[in-house]
Every structure is written in C-alpha cells, then in structure tokens.
C-alpha cells in the first residue's frame, strides 16, 4: 500500500505491506535508525516516536496508520547541536549503552512539551513505560528535571 | 516478532466498516489504537485476513456527560479520560481506574472500545463496565443493539460481539454526588496488568446504611466478575471494622482464581480480600 506522511519535517512516501510496523518503515525505508527496536510488542518503550506531537510506540502502530500524519523521531528533535534535553542527558550520565536513550528522549520531550511543569512524580510515572538496563533511572530523572526549564515560556516545541 | 500478512482497510463510516467485516465471514478484525491487537499480531496469536481501521470513523471519540450518565465513544483514549476534569465529579471511579491503565505512550493510543472488545480478564475498563452495569452499543449488519456488560463478557478475551459487529459506545449509569466508591489494584510494577483489582461503589440511606452495593473484581477469573455474596453482606448494614472484616473474608471465599506464572491462586484470593478491605476503608474516609 502507498503511504505518505511527514517525517521529521519533510514529506515522505513509501510502498509498504500493510503488516509493516511504523518502526520498521522509518528504519528500513527511510534509514532513520535512531528509533530502536527491542521487544517489538509494546513493553520496552525504546521505539517511542511522536505522531502529531504525541508519544507513541512505533512497534504498536502500522505504517499505513500514519497516512497524512506528522511523525518525529529522535533525529528530528535536534539540528547540529544537542537540545537542552539531550545535553542534560550527557551531563547527568543518563545513558551508558544508549540503546534505550532515543525512547527516553522522545518520551521526555513529549511530556515536557505538553507539561513543562511536570514534577518528579509525574516524570517517573511517565518514564515508567521505558526500560533502561544500565543507569538505574536516577540520572535519567535528574536530566529530565534539569531540562524542564528550557521548555518553559516558549510554549510547546 | 513480525505480524502475519493481512490486508488493510480504513473505511470512513460505521456502515462501510460493518460491510467490510461481514464480507470476510469472521476472518476480519477491527483495529483502532491497536495497543492490545498489535502485540497479539506480533506474537501471532491473532492472524486476521483483513484489518478494518476505525481511524477515519467520525463521532466515536466523544465523552458525553449528562443526566443519564457518562457516554464514552469507542475511540475515546485513556489520555482523553485522564485529561477530562469533569470526570472527577461525574464518574470518579472511572477516572481513578483509568489511571492504572498501562503506560504514557499506550495511553495516547489505547481506546475504551478496544479494551472492552479485547476483554482481558485483568483489564481495568472491563472491570469498571462490569461493576457499574455499563451498557454497550453495538452495530452490525442486522442493525444496532444494546448489551449489558454482564452479558457482553463471555470468557477469557471473549465477548458477545459477532464477527460483523463493532462496539461504538459504552454508557455508564448516572453517578450520584454522594456515592461512596474505591478502585484498588495490585501489580508488581506500575502499569503492568493487575494481579488482582477491586472496584466498588455503594450509596447510603438516610440512616447511614449501605444500599445498592456493587463489588467487582478483575484478574481472578476468566472475565471481570461481581461478588454478589459480598454485595448482599454489605447491603442494609453500617460500614464498620467488623463488617469490613466479614466482607473481606467473604470475598476471599467467593473467588477461585487460577494459578499462573505470576501468582498462585491462593495469593490472588488473598489479594482480593486485602484490596476489598482497603477499598471499603478508603470509601468511608
């Protein structure tokens, strides 16, 4: 089936099998391999992307379901420089192997864009849908808390 | 972990969707948020020939609140319920129960209709529907019908939905402002499926005695169930520590949960007893 959508700000189109997940489509058809696939059944959160500004698991969506939608992956969040959220991840050592990181970054970005005043409890609640086996989560929460400031005042990003 | 081969259609009306379902004689399946169906496909526990996506169907995503209660369109998502401040008054039990559903990303896609049609025995929405005597609006080739929750859930992941039918709306009866209620569940990690959960509500008469007790449990049978014996014990009595202890013991003997890798049956039964006691205490606070 032919599917057209907006990927990281540019229009894209592909002929996909209906069973192709959004995750496989953006990785294989468009080479955007920042979106990582681990469990492929909606448990780990590594494949989180933004669809029309909302964080969703791209392994639990079909590519044909984003017809006409705006999809943003971790690649679409930054230009040449790290975003304040990404810089906070580096500063706080909020990653080690980095496999889960795109999912955490996209999820935290969606959260702070919608709720720039999210408190630690809310941040922990939201990030509970993402698994990290390296950090023990504390540095991730610290990084997200620090990045909140950059989301305030400028409206939703 | 890749889905099997299927065809895909995204009709723009309920009638078209029903016609597509009817054309496949049981081998077509509805998809909306897909948060239960996509894992089933990934594990190949489901292998439909055709997926009928409700994406373009209009008027199925409203939360309507009126004198006759709360009506949720089948495409209402968990995040829609979460962000609707009216529900804290109009149906606090629903609002609290939905806080326990899965995780952030899944709450952005998962739908009320999907959860009810999937009918996981440990899922929150079917538990609320069963406890509150919800009525489902179902549309099929033969027209539309209304089905009570008690008749809708027929077994593990099984409902009375026919292959050519779509659940379009769930209606929860009116919620009196003074109603007492609680929703509690236990899962090892937040957002996981409940090992057991209890939903309850009751009203008080002029003398402070319980009337119209509803006690429902999830995660302990092949579908969400009501505990009639516990409800009978509560009705016409004043809630005190003695009644709570008796109701808790009655709840434990009223369930016969299966054992699985997550917990032995006896542990789930004990959970029901504990959650009911806590819930009754909370309802009186």
């Amino acid at each position: 089936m032919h599917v057209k959508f907006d990927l990281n700000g540019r229009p894209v189109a592909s002929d996909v099998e209906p069973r192709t997940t959004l995750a496989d489509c953006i990785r294989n058809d468009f080479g955007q391999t920042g979106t990582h696939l681990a469990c492929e059944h909606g448990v780990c959160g590594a494949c989180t992307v933004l669809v029309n500004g909302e964080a969703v698991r791209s392994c639990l969506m079909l590519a044909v379901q984003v017809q006409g939608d705006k999809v943003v992956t971790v690649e679409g969040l930054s230009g040449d420089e790290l975003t304040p959220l990404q810089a906070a991840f580096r500063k706080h050592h909020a990653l080690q192997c980095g496999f889960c990181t795109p999912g955490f970054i996209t999820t935290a970005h969606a959260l702070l864009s919608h709720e720039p005043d999210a408190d630690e409890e809310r941040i922990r609640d939201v990030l509970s849908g993402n698994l990290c086996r390296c950090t023990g989560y504390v540095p991730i929460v610290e990084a997200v808390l620090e990045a909140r400031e950059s989301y305030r005042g400028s409206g939703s990003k | 972990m890749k889905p099997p081969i299927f065809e895909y259609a995204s009709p723009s009306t309920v009638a078209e969707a029903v016609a597509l379902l009817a054309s496949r004689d049981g081998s077509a399946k509805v998809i909306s948020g897909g948060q239960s169906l996509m894992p089933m496909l990934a594990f190949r526990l489901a292998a439909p020939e055709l997926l009928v996506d409700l994406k373009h169907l209009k008027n199925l995503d409203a939360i309507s609140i009126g004198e006759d209660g709360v009506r949720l369109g089948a495409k209402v998502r968990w995040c829609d319920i979460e962000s609707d401040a009216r529900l804290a008054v109009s149906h606090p039990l629903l609002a609290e129960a939905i806080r326990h559903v899965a995780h952030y990303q899944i709450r952005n896609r998962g739908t009320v209709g999907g959860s009810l049609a999937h009918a996981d025995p440990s899922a929150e929405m079917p538990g609320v529907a069963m406890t509150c005597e919800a009525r489902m609006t179902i549309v099929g080739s033969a027209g539309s019908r209304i089905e009570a929750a008690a008749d809708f859930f027929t077994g593990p992941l099984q409902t009375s939905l026919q292959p050519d039918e779509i659940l379009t709306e769930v209606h929860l009866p009116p919620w009196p402002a003074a109603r007492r209620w609680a929703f509690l569940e236990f899962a090892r990690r937040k957002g996981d499926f409940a090992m057991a959960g209890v939903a309850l509500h009751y009203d008080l008469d002029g003398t402070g005695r319980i009337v119209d007790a509803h006690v429902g449990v999830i995660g302990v049978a092949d579908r969400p169930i009501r505990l009639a014996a516990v409800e009978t014990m509560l009705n016409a009595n004043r809630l005190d520590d003695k009644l709570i202890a008796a109701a808790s013991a009655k709840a434990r003997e009223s369930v016969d949960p299966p054992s699985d890798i997550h917990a032995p049956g006896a542990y789930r039964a004990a959970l029901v007893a504990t959650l009911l006691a806590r819930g009754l205490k909370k309802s009186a606070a």
Side-chain angles (χ1 to χ4, degrees):
Chain A
M1 290 183 82
H2 195 64
V3 61
K4 280 189 197 172
F5 56 101
D6 185 295
L7 179 61
N8 294 330
R10 62 189 175 91
V12 294
S14 183
D15 288 305
V16 295
E17 276 189 77
R19 65 171 176 156
T20 309
T21 63
L22 175 60
D24 280 339
C25 175
I26 55 189
R27 286 175 56 86
N28 301 339
D29 295 358
F30 304 116
Q32 304 282 289
T33 52
T35 299
H36 289 172
L37 271 169
C39 76
E40 293 191 84
H41 65 286
V43 171
C44 74
C47 69
T48 302
V49 302
L50 310 182
V51 174
N52 299 330
E54 290 178 331
V56 304
R57 293 177 165 173
S58 60
C59 74
L60 293 189
M61 268 191 97
L62 299 167
V64 289
Q65 289 185 295
V66 297
Q67 182 83 37
D69 291 339
K70 287 190 189 327
V71 178
V72 174
T73 67
V74 69
E75 290 98 333
L77 297 181
S78 58
D80 294 334
E81 304 275 311
L82 295 181
T83 66
L85 178 64
Q86 289 167 332
F89 264 62
R90 183 160 74 179
K91 176 181 164 189
H92 288 275
H93 302 286
L95 65 154
Q96 183 177 318
C97 83
F99 193 89
C100 68
T101 311
F104 274 97
I105 295 279
T106 47
T107 304
H109 174 78
L111 171 66
L112 294 180
S113 297
H114 292 113
E115 305 171 37
D117 293 317
D119 61 9
E120 181 174 342
E121 188 187 345
R122 175 67 176 152
I123 291 168
R124 285 182 173 274
D125 177 30
V126 167
L127 295 184
S128 69
N130 291 64
L131 299 181
C132 172
R133 300 282 83 135
C134 300
T135 62
Y137 302 102
V138 174
I140 296 175
V141 175
E142 286 171 349
V144 176
L145 280 168
E146 179 169 309
R148 283 185 307 185
E149 191 58 39
S150 67
Y151 285 85
R152 290 175 181 150
S154 56
S156 121
K157 289 195 177 181
Chain B
M1 209 55 98
K2 305 291 180 194
I5 290 169
F6 48 74
E7 296 165 66
Y8 171 88
S10 55
S12 47
T13 65
V14 173
E16 282 173 35
V18 166
L20 281 164
L21 291 173
S23 73
R24 294 306 176 102
D25 201 23
S27 62
K29 202 144 174 63
V30 169
I31 187 166
S32 183
Q35 302 299 286
S36 298
L37 183 55
M38 286 293 292
M40 299 273 286
L41 292 168
F43 282 116
R44 304 205 173 195
L45 295 171
E49 280 176 20
L50 170 70
L51 285 188
V52 179
D53 193 346
L54 305 188
K55 177 174 177 173
H56 294 113
L57 267 51
K58 306 246 182 321
N59 306 323
L60 292 183
D61 48 11
I63 301 177
S64 329
I65 300 174
E67 281 180 14
D68 70 337
V70 175
R71 292 177 183 276
L72 304 171
K75 285 169 63 181
V76 167
R77 302 167 302 165
W78 310 124
C79 62
D80 300 325
I81 293 176
E82 220 175 348
S83 62
D84 193 323
R86 299 174 302 167
L87 288 171
V89 175
S90 303
H91 212 294
L93 174 61
L94 171 71
E96 173 63 23
I98 292 331
R99 293 183 60 234
H100 294 269
V101 176
H103 298 107
Y104 185 62
Q105 300 95 331
I106 288 175
R107 292 202 292 260
N108 284 337
R109 290 278 301 158
T111 65
V112 165
S115 174
L116 291 169
H118 184 59
D120 190 296
S122 56
E124 291 82 0
M125 191 65 216
V128 170
M130 192 68 192
T131 305
C132 299
E133 294 178 0
R135 290 155 66 82
M136 326 289 177
T137 304
I138 294 162
V139 180
S141 306
S144 75
R145 64 186 178 98
I146 307 275
E147 180 113 275
D151 301 319
F152 181 76
F153 300 107
T154 56
L157 307 183
Q158 283 167 22
T159 69
S160 69
L161 280 171
Q162 296 303 303
D164 66 339
E165 288 185 324
I166 297 174
L167 174 63
T168 57
E169 183 183 83
V170 57
H171 172 218
L172 298 165
W175 185 272
R179 178 165 280 175
R180 307 296 181 99
W181 63 277
F183 182 91
L184 290 171
E185 70 170 49
F186 184 80
R188 281 216 178 83
R189 288 162 306 193
K190 193 170 187 315
D192 279 6
F193 275 112
M195 293 164 80
V198 171
L200 66 93
H201 70 73
Y202 57 87
D203 301 315
L204 295 177
D205 68 11
T207 67
R209 292 175 201 276
I210 292 174
V211 290
D212 198 23
H214 288 227
V215 177
V217 288
I218 56 173
V220 294
D222 67 352
R223 68 195 90 171
I225 53 169
R226 292 268 295 273
L227 302 184
V230 176
E231 293 172 353
T232 305
M233 181 178 263
L234 292 171
N235 281 329
N237 286 305
R238 283 195 178 82
L239 194 69
D240 57 20
D241 288 348
K242 208 175 134 197
L243 183 61
I244 290 174
S248 173
K250 179 63 82 180
R252 184 195 293 248
E253 62 189 58
S254 305
V255 296
D256 183 20
S259 297
D260 62 22
I261 55 165
H262 302 295
Y267 180 74
R268 287 178 196 265
L271 270 178
V272 167
T274 301
L275 293 172
L276 181 73
R278 286 181 189 169
L280 286 171
K281 278 194 187 112
K282 202 173 168 189
S283 72

